[in-house]
């Protein structure tokens, strides 16, 4: 069934439409800045309660908590995540180049704080492999590992204190940066890390994590490389030292991988059937610790073990703040990555479960988490991929699940922690590698990305290669620059096309893609699909010149022709007794158009619907275009200008070179007006010609 639409109305220029439907000037009702600030700063009970609920979200969602419906899911999910946090926290501490106990601290304090200040109901915070790797690089740069170090000597304790001091300083500075970003409302900055960049970065960082764990899995005691090409330096070092592999640790690693990989695959494939995933990591840790203790593997085969894990909480204290100037540059990258990953995860699960998050509040939550946690010897934390996925699949509903996660970690810290003394570090390295499964699977997105957008595919591939070849932070920085360059290039190379009209409609489409749309005789309708600014003004000008034929030669020839016509007309008018006042030509352009050959372009109409902004250079280009069109006797019209574009064009003096009544609400309004003007001109010319 087909339907038709018929609309009868007046032709609207922008001025006429604003007079009929625009908002009246309310400048008198505007509040002065001082009064506005006074209103914002005015304190009341309602405002205090609103501010409290906004900045401490637990005060908002906890009173609405549905105890009978949600409590069981939160308990099960929280306990499950807590069990996973224990081995992963200790494992990721090795990536950070600090003692495993600090990974347990980082799995406790940030979780408590995010529960109070975070807005993501299904977000699990704690240790994250990528952040641990980046922080570990900073730690290795500031406090390099000595080749010969007795782990039981006082020097070893001082060495560990220096390392955790640097890692805590990174967390402290990262938290301060996030708090400053929250104060400046800079939550939008995470958008510069696009989805292809984040996924490529995480996938490439997984390779760095895997390679960095090879030495622990093989029982090699090698220095950790940092800087550019660190991945290849580590690989070469491992290959050169393969003859020195500790066979006992190699066997432990192979057995752990043989257990962890299949069970994790079962957890993934049967995720919907399993009420909770099989806690294979903690089971492996317990069994490996028991076997090592019973068989004295550490003394017989010289395997590396975790060592002493103190019970209880650390005493609060300031981190190594004297290191802040030296670690500031690396901390910026760590801060942006941690925030981008956290917000991305929070948004994914918020969309899935039908609620919203506040990016600026997330900045506050993670800023407080990192700042306060750093006082308790924690390294940088963020939302984590694996535990967030487990929290959601295990049936968690709210942030209260974090409370039960903390209870599990608390029991380990107070009671069970010292029992992990004989845990082999090779087991933690295997847990690190197998926890990266989701990151490696990000390669599966590439075929779809290639099909959807070749440019985004290139961003993904370039970022991945840069992170793998160069380094994590350097590769990410260049990847972001490359991504922004693709955006700039796309705006520079925006297409300028000619529009044609579909017969008997007011619809206008590109004649390149619609062969049944035809150009309006004598009118060239152009549309530009992008902003017009200093970066692409030359491309825009070249397209306009090509489509309109505004070459210098044509402009000079038309100027000569116009002068000849004006001279001929003045001679004719001087012989007429009526005088100039009775001349049928209202302007030089009207006179020129009467002499133009039928079929030539007499008017150019620019559709500005896709022009989202114009800068000073773009506005001056419009003025130049109007001047050149006037020289060849072509009138310029605009349509579909947004308010900001129209304001800039008007302020730049464009109205001195074109008629303000030549700016229309739609393309069709302009076309109808041009056709009416041409018909009126033809009738007037015929009338005077007959006389």
């Amino acid at each position: 069934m087909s339907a038709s639409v018929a609309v009868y109305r007046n032709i609207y220029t922008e001025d006429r439409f604003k007079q009929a439907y625009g908002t009246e000037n309310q400048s008198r009702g505007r509040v002065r800045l001082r009064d506005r600030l006074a209103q914002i700063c005015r304190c009341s009970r309602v405002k205090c309660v609103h501010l409290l609920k906004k900045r401490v979200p637990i005060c908002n969602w906890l009173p609405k908590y549905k105890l009978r419906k949600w409590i069981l899911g939160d308990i099960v999910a929280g306990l499950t995540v807590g069990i996973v946090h224990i081995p992963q926290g200790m494992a990721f501490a090795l990536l950070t180049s600090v003692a495993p106990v600090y990974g347990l601290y980082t799995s406790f304090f940030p979780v408590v704080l995010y529960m109070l200040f975070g807005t993501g109901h299904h977000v699990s915070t704690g240790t994250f492999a990528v952040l641990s790797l980046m922080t570990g690089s900073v730690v290795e740069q500031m406090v390099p590992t000595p080749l010969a170090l007795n782990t039981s000597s006082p020097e070893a304790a001082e060495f560990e204190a220096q390392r955790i001091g640097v890692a805590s300083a990174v967390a402290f500075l990262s938290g301060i940066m996030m708090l400053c970003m929250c104060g400046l409302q800079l939550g939008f900055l995470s958008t510069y890390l696009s989805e292809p960049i984040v996924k490529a970065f995480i996938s490439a960082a997984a390779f760095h994590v895997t390679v960095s764990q090879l030495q622990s899995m093989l029982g090699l005691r090698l220095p950790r490389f940092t800087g550019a090409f660190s991945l290849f330096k580590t690989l070469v070092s491992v290959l050169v030292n393969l003859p020195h592999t500790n066979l006992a640790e190699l066997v432990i690693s192979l057995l752990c991988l043989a257990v962890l990989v299949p069970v994790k695959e079962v957890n993934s494939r049967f995720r919907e059937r399993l009420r909770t995933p099989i806690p294979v990591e903690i089971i492996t840790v317990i069994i490996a610790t028991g076997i090592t203790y019973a068989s004295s593997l550490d003394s017989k085969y010289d395997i590396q073990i975790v060592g002493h894990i103190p019970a209880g909480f650390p005493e609060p204290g300031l981190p190594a703040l004297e290191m802040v100037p030296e670690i500031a540059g690396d901390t910026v990258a760590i801060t942006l990555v941690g925030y981008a990953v956290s917000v991305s995860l929070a948004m994914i699960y918020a969309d899935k479960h039908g609620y919203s998050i506040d990016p600026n509040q997330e900045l506050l939550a993670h800023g407080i988490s990192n700042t306060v946690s750093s006082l308790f010897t924690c390294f940088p934390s963020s939302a984590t991929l694996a535990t967030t996925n487990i929290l959601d699949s295990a049936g968690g509903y709210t942030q209260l699940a974090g409370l039960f996660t903390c209870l599990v970690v608390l029991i380990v810290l107070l009671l069970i922690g010292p029992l992990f003394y004989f845990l082999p570090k090779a087991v933690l390295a295997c847990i690190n590698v197998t926890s990266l499964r989701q990151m490696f699977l990000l390669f599966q997105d590439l075929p779809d990305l290639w099909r959807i957008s070749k440019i985004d595919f290139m961003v993904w591939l370039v970022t991945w290669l840069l992170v793998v070849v160069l380094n994590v932070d350097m590769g990410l920085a260049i990847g972001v620059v490359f991504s922004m360059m693709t955006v700039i290039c796309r705006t520079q190379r925006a297409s300028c096309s000619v529009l044609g009209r579909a017969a008997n409609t007011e619809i206008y489409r590109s004649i390149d893609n619609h062969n049944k749309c035809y150009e309006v005789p004598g009118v060239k309708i152009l549309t530009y699909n992008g902003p017009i600014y200093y970066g692409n003004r030359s491309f825009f000008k070249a397209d306009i010149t090509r489509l309109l034929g505004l070459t210098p030669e044509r402009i000079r020839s038309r100027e000569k022709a116009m002068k000849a016509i004006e001279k001929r007309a003045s001679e004719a008018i001087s012989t007429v007794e009526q005088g100039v006042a009775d001349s049928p030509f209202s302007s030089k352009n009207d006179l020129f158009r009467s002499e133009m050959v039928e079929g030539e372009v007499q008017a150019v109409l620019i559709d500005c619907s896709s022009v989202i902004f114009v800068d000073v250079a773009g506005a001056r280009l419009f003025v130049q275009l109007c001047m050149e069109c006037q020289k060849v006797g072509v009138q310029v019209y605009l349509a579909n200008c947004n308010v900001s574009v129209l304001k800039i064009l008007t302020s730049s003096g464009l109205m001195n070179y074109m008629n303000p009544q030549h700016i229309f609400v739609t393309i069709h309004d302009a076309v109808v007006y041009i056709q009416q003007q041409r018909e009126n001109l033809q009738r007037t010319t015929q009338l005077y010609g007959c006389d």
Side-chain angles (χ1 to χ4, degrees):
M1 180 180 178
S2 62
S4 60
V5 177
V7 179
Y8 300 95
R9 61 172 176 81
N10 295 326
I11 297 174
Y12 282 114
T13 63
E14 283 289 347
D15 288 343
R16 289 188 62 186
F17 189 83
K18 188 174 182 180
Q19 291 173 4
Y21 300 101
T23 304
E24 295 181 2
N25 188 8
Q26 297 179 349
S27 58
R28 294 181 180 178
R30 292 178 182 174
V31 182
R32 290 184 301 175
L33 179 61
R34 185 180 64 182
D35 297 335
R36 194 184 307 173
L37 290 174
Q39 185 177 2
I40 294 173
C41 298
R42 188 178 296 122
C43 184
S44 66
R45 183 176 180 276
V46 175
K47 285 191 174 184
C48 288
V49 172
H50 176 74
L51 181 63
L52 180 66
K53 289 183 177 180
K54 183 178 180 181
R55 294 307 176 197
V56 189
I58 191 173
C59 298
N60 186 32
W61 60 262
L62 190 59
K64 304 174 185 177
Y65 191 83
K66 299 178 182 179
L67 187 65
R68 293 184 179 180
K69 184 178 179 180
W70 293 344
I71 188 64
L72 181 60
D74 282 341
I75 290 175
V76 173
L79 295 178
T80 304
V81 171
I83 292 171
V84 175
H85 262 310
I86 296 164
Q88 281 198 358
M90 292 190 291
F92 291 159
L94 293 183
L95 282 177
T96 318
S97 297
V98 296
V101 67
Y102 300 114
L104 295 177
Y105 297 153
T106 310
S107 300
F108 177 79
F109 290 103
V111 178
V112 175
L113 293 166
Y114 186 83
M115 181 183 67
L116 300 176
F117 297 99
T119 58
H121 301 340
H122 300 82
V123 173
S124 173
T125 58
T127 56
F128 182 43
V130 176
L131 285 191
S132 297
L133 179 69
M134 297 176 73
T135 307
S137 298
V138 180
V139 172
E140 290 289 343
Q141 290 175 15
M142 298 294 106
V143 189
T145 305
L147 293 178
L149 180 67
N150 186 356
T151 55
S152 60
S153 64
E155 291 81 6
E158 178 64 24
F159 173 73
E160 286 294 339
Q162 291 177 3
R163 289 202 147 189
I164 191 57
V166 173
S168 299
V170 173
F172 180 83
L173 184 57
S174 177
I176 294 297
M177 287 180 179
M178 289 187 183
L179 292 176
C180 292
M181 290 167 65
C182 175
L184 297 173
Q185 300 290 294
L186 297 179
F188 67 90
L189 287 179
S190 64
T191 57
Y192 289 103
L193 295 177
S194 63
E195 183 178 333
I197 289 179
V198 172
K199 289 187 174 181
F201 169 75
I202 291 175
S203 178
F207 280 85
H208 280 273
V209 173
T210 302
V211 171
S212 69
Q213 296 305 291
L214 288 178
Q215 56 179 330
S216 296
M217 295 169 68
L218 298 174
L220 300 174
R221 291 162 175 80
L222 303 174
R224 183 167 172 176
F225 295 96
T226 59
F229 311 107
S230 59
L231 185 142
F232 301 102
K233 293 176 183 177
T234 304
L235 276 177
V236 170
S237 179
V238 170
L239 292 174
V240 169
N241 289 275
L242 272 180
H244 305 292
T245 299
N246 188 319
L247 294 179
E249 293 193 84
L250 176 60
V251 171
I252 291 173
S253 299
L254 292 175
L255 290 174
C256 287
L257 292 175
V259 173
L260 290 169
V261 173
V263 176
K264 279 181 168 289
E265 189 64 27
V266 170
N267 284 340
S268 176
R269 293 191 176 221
F270 300 98
R271 181 173 55 189
E272 296 181 357
R273 297 185 184 181
L274 295 172
R275 182 68 179 88
T276 60
I278 302 171
V280 64
E281 292 97 341
I282 193 66
I283 293 173
T284 304
V285 165
I286 293 172
I287 294 175
T289 304
I291 293 175
T292 305
Y293 171 73
S295 305
S296 301
L297 296 180
D298 58 321
S299 57
K300 289 182 179 179
Y301 299 102
D302 192 29
I303 66 171
Q304 300 179 72
I305 59 175
V306 167
H308 176 61
I309 296 180
F313 288 107
E315 294 183 1
L318 287 175
L321 297 183
E322 66 275 6
M323 294 284 190
V324 166
E326 300 177 57
I327 63 176
D330 295 303
T331 306
V332 171
I334 293 172
T335 302
L336 291 177
V337 170
Y339 175 62
V341 171
S342 300
V343 171
S344 299
L345 274 176
M347 286 183 173
I348 288 171
Y349 287 95
D351 292 340
K352 179 179 178 181
H353 293 280
Y355 61 90
S356 60
I357 66 161
D358 182 358
N360 285 302
Q361 180 62 27
E362 288 294 295
L363 272 175
L364 178 66
H366 290 288
I368 293 176
S369 295
N370 280 286
T371 304
V372 177
S373 299
S374 69
L375 305 178
F376 295 91
T377 61
C378 295
F379 50 85
S381 63
S382 71
T384 64
L385 295 173
T387 54
T388 298
N389 187 33
I390 292 172
L391 181 68
D392 179 59
S393 59
Y397 288 100
T398 66
Q399 296 96 314
L400 192 64
L403 175 64
F404 303 102
T405 299
C406 293
L407 289 177
V408 175
V409 180
L410 182 63
I411 293 172
V412 173
L413 284 172
L414 296 179
L415 303 173
I416 305 176
L419 300 179
F420 292 124
Y421 180 92
F422 291 97
L423 173 63
K425 289 186 177 181
V427 175
L428 296 180
C430 292
I431 291 174
N432 271 334
V433 173
T434 55
S435 68
L436 305 174
R437 178 183 179 276
Q438 285 179 293
M439 301 183 189
F440 285 119
L441 290 179
L442 293 174
F443 275 101
Q444 295 177 347
D445 295 341
L446 285 179
D448 288 338
L449 203 59
W450 174 263
R451 179 175 52 84
I452 296 170
S453 172
K454 304 294 190 298
I455 294 178
D456 285 339
F457 176 87
M458 288 302 300
V459 170
W460 199 104
L461 193 61
V462 169
T463 303
W464 188 89
L465 289 173
L466 288 170
V467 172
V468 168
V469 173
L470 297 178
N471 197 13
V472 177
D473 48 0
M474 192 185 306
L476 176 63
I478 301 176
V480 171
V481 172
F482 178 78
S483 176
M484 296 178 70
M485 288 300 297
T486 62
V487 175
I488 294 173
C489 289
R490 275 185 273 189
T491 60
Q492 282 187 325
R493 296 294 183 177
S495 61
C496 185
S497 54
V498 179
L499 301 184
R501 179 184 177 186
N504 300 320
T505 71
E506 78 292 348
I507 299 172
Y508 297 82
R509 292 292 184 269
S510 172
I511 60 176
D512 295 331
N513 303 323
H514 304 81
N515 56 8
K516 293 184 180 179
C517 291
Y518 302 100
E519 290 190 64
V520 178
V523 183
K524 185 71 74 174
I525 307 174
L526 306 177
T527 184
Y528 191 71
N529 299 315
I532 302 173
Y533 66 110
Y534 70 94
N536 67 356
R537 66 186 299 271
S538 59
F539 298 101
F540 175 70
K541 182 180 179 181
D543 288 341
I544 293 291
T545 301
R546 174 177 54 82
L547 294 172
L548 296 181
L550 293 177
T551 60
E553 295 78 11
R554 186 189 176 197
I555 294 174
R556 283 195 297 269
S557 63
R558 287 303 177 95
E559 283 183 321
K560 292 179 181 178
M562 179 175 283
K563 290 179 180 179
I565 293 171
E566 288 179 5
K567 182 178 179 181
R568 204 165 58 242
S570 61
E571 292 175 354
I573 292 173
S574 63
T575 61
V576 179
E577 294 180 353
Q578 287 86 344
V580 179
D582 291 335
S583 172
F585 304 112
S586 59
S587 70
K588 291 189 290 185
N589 282 334
D590 289 340
L591 176 65
F592 188 49
R593 283 203 301 272
S594 68
E595 298 284 335
M596 291 182 72
V597 180
E598 187 67 26
E600 284 192 356
V601 175
Q602 301 175 20
V604 56
L605 170 59
I606 301 177
D607 172 29
C608 299
S609 58
S610 299
V611 180
I612 56 176
F613 73 87
V614 175
D615 69 353
V616 175
R620 288 175 179 170
L621 183 60
F622 268 97
V623 173
Q624 183 182 353
L625 174 64
C626 286
M627 295 172 63
E628 292 181 353
C629 286
Q630 284 181 357
K631 292 177 181 178
V632 297
V634 176
Q635 291 278 12
V636 177
Y637 299 84
L638 302 179
N640 292 321
C641 293
N642 65 50
V643 176
S644 62
V645 169
L646 194 57
K647 181 179 179 181
I648 293 175
L649 292 178
T650 304
S651 302
S652 66
L654 180 65
M655 297 305 110
N656 297 330
Y657 300 93
M658 72 175 291
N659 191 337
Q661 299 304 314
H662 286 183
I663 303 175
F664 292 87
V665 175
T666 68
I667 297 175
H668 196 58
D669 284 283
V671 170
V672 173
Y673 175 83
I674 294 169
Q675 290 177 333
Q676 288 181 356
Q677 291 295 104
R678 187 190 307 160
E679 291 172 0
N680 293 338
L681 181 61
Q682 288 174 351
R683 282 197 297 267
T684 306
T685 305
Q686 291 173 0
L687 177 62
Y688 278 83
C690 293
D691 293 343

